Amino acid sequence: FTDNINIQFAKTPNGKVSVSIYDMKGSKVYDVEYNNYTQTSLQINTSNKYLAHGVYSVKVETGGKVYNLKAMK
């Protein structure tokens, strides 16, 4: 990823979406939460210019479910 991450998902019943990004050591490097999100996609500007190149874990929580993704910078 560059400075933006695009995530697509089904609408959630309660509209709550949270996204966390972790480095491979397990340290949280980014965290955001939306309480009344009504779209089916989400573009996150992580301002991650300070993050080193490597593999990151992206955790998306929505609709009572947790999704774990891998992303490379």
Side-chain angles (χ1 to χ4, degrees):
F1 59 92
T2 57
D3 289 343
N4 295 314
I5 298 175
N6 294 306
I7 300 171
Q8 292 186 328
F9 48 85
K11 279 188 182 178
T12 62
N14 63 2
K16 184 176 180 180
V17 177
S18 67
V19 178
S20 301
I21 300 175
Y22 299 85
D23 64 18
M24 292 312 293
K25 294 179 184 177
S27 299
K28 189 183 291 186
V29 295
Y30 184 83
D31 193 35
V32 66
E33 185 173 295
Y34 301 93
N35 289 316
N36 294 310
Y37 201 78
T38 59
Q39 305 297 316
T40 58
S41 64
L42 178 62
Q43 181 171 337
I44 301 168
N45 183 349
T46 61
S47 299
N48 63 29
K49 294 177 184 175
Y50 64 92
L51 295 178
H53 289 276
V55 178
Y56 291 85
S57 176
V58 180
K59 180 173 136 184
V60 179
E61 295 182 67
T62 182
K65 296 184 179 181
V66 178
Y67 302 93
N68 291 297
L69 314 162
K70 296 282 185 204
M72 279 183 50
K73 178 176 181 191

